[in-house]
Each structure stands twice: as C-alpha cells, then as structure tokens.
Amino acid sequence: MEPLFQELQNKAYDPIAIYGMGVNAESLLTSSLGSRIRFVVAKDHIGEAFHGYEVKAIEDVLPLCKTIIIAASPRVTGIIYDRISSMVPNEKHVFNMYGVRLNGRRDYTENICWNQTFEGLLRAIDAHDVISFDCFDTLFMRRTLQPKDIF
C-alpha cells in the first residue's frame, strides 16, 4: 500500500482523518501515514475509542482536517463518499484506501469544448489550423497481420 500514497507524503495534506474502523483503518494507522492521522470518523461509533483515538462525527472533524481517507472496501467507499460529499468543502481532499482522489477538480469539465453545442464545436475546430485526435486500440478493430501494418 505504501507506494500508492506517494502524493500523501506531502505535509500539505495534514492533518489527516480516516473514515472507518475496520482492518483498513488499522492498516492506515500502522502505515507511514499513521503518525500524521489525527482523527478517526465513523458514523455509528461516535464517542467510542479506536486505537487511542476518540471516534468523531464528520461534521466535527471537517473544520480541523485537510484530508479524509475513506478506509473501506471499494463498494463501501462509494456509499460513504455519497454520504459525505455534499458536506466536504472543495478545498478538502478526499481519498480512497488506494490513494485515489475522489473529489476536487474535474479537468475535463474545464475544457473549453466541454458542454458545447455541435455548432460551438465546429466553430472551435474552424478556429485552428490543426486538430489532433487520440484513438485508443480498444476503440477500433483493425484487421491487420502485424500491428505495424496500421501505420
């Protein structure tokens, strides 16, 4: 798990809260991030103790942390993220157990062609001398003897 959290090694993500109390949360607490985790969050266990931490409500922890790691299986992570995403301000970071950012910027939506009309796309194309498209091999079927025959 350690290499997956390379980005989180940056102290700018501190203080960190983990959401969950299972084996994944225990694993995070004993990882290299463990010393930087300040809060444990779990909806149904508020006030209980977990590995020396008092379990808190997400509403209480949000003003105090910069990062939340949802320490759960992928299926449960989606449920938890759906529950808390409307409460989490954009400047906070939410990651899953594998170090993948769940919130924040969605670069494709900031592209000038995103959410354009067909006519708007034609105008954008006409404004350029060269247009390039990337085509991935899963998009097309090419009947060739050798891959180099495509080119």
Side-chain angles (χ1 to χ4, degrees):
M1 169 178 22
E2 297 296 324
L4 295 170
F5 284 97
Q6 282 301 103
E7 183 178 359
L8 285 172
Q9 297 307 321
N10 184 336
K11 300 280 187 193
Y13 290 103
D14 291 359
I16 298 172
I18 57 171
Y19 196 117
M21 293 176 55
V23 295
N24 290 332
E26 289 177 2
S27 177
L28 284 172
L29 287 169
T30 59
S31 74
S32 63
L33 294 176
S35 63
R36 296 171 43 221
I37 294 170
R38 298 288 175 259
F39 309 100
V40 174
V41 177
K43 180 182 174 226
D44 297 326
H45 299 276
I46 297 166
E48 294 180 19
F50 181 76
H51 290 273
Y53 293 87
E54 179 185 352
V55 179
K56 299 188 176 282
I58 187 73
E59 299 85 357
D60 296 334
V61 168
L62 279 174
L64 306 172
C65 73
K66 288 186 181 177
T67 303
I68 300 166
I69 301 172
I70 300 175
S73 68
R75 183 182 63 78
V76 176
T77 296
I79 294 168
I80 293 170
Y81 183 71
D82 287 345
R83 183 185 311 138
I84 69 170
S85 63
S86 64
M87 293 184 257
V88 179
N90 288 336
E91 67 272 7
K92 305 287 181 179
H93 311 281
V94 181
F95 289 89
N96 70 10
M97 184 65 197
Y98 306 102
V100 175
R101 178 104 186 251
L102 301 177
N103 70 336
R105 293 182 60 204
R106 301 283 192 229
D107 292 338
Y108 63 88
T109 62
E110 295 173 10
N111 184 301
I112 61 168
C113 294
W114 182 256
N115 211 15
Q116 276 278 5
T117 64
F118 181 72
E119 291 76 22
L121 289 173
L122 288 177
R123 282 192 299 277
I125 290 170
D126 287 342
H128 295 86
D129 294 331
V130 176
I131 303 293
S132 173
F133 296 93
D134 288 332
C135 297
F136 297 93
D137 61 347
T138 55
L139 183 59
F140 298 107
M141 182 176 86
R142 302 175 187 114
R143 293 187 179 165
T144 61
L145 292 176
Q146 301 291 322
K148 65 181 178 145
D149 294 340
I150 294 169
F151 305 104

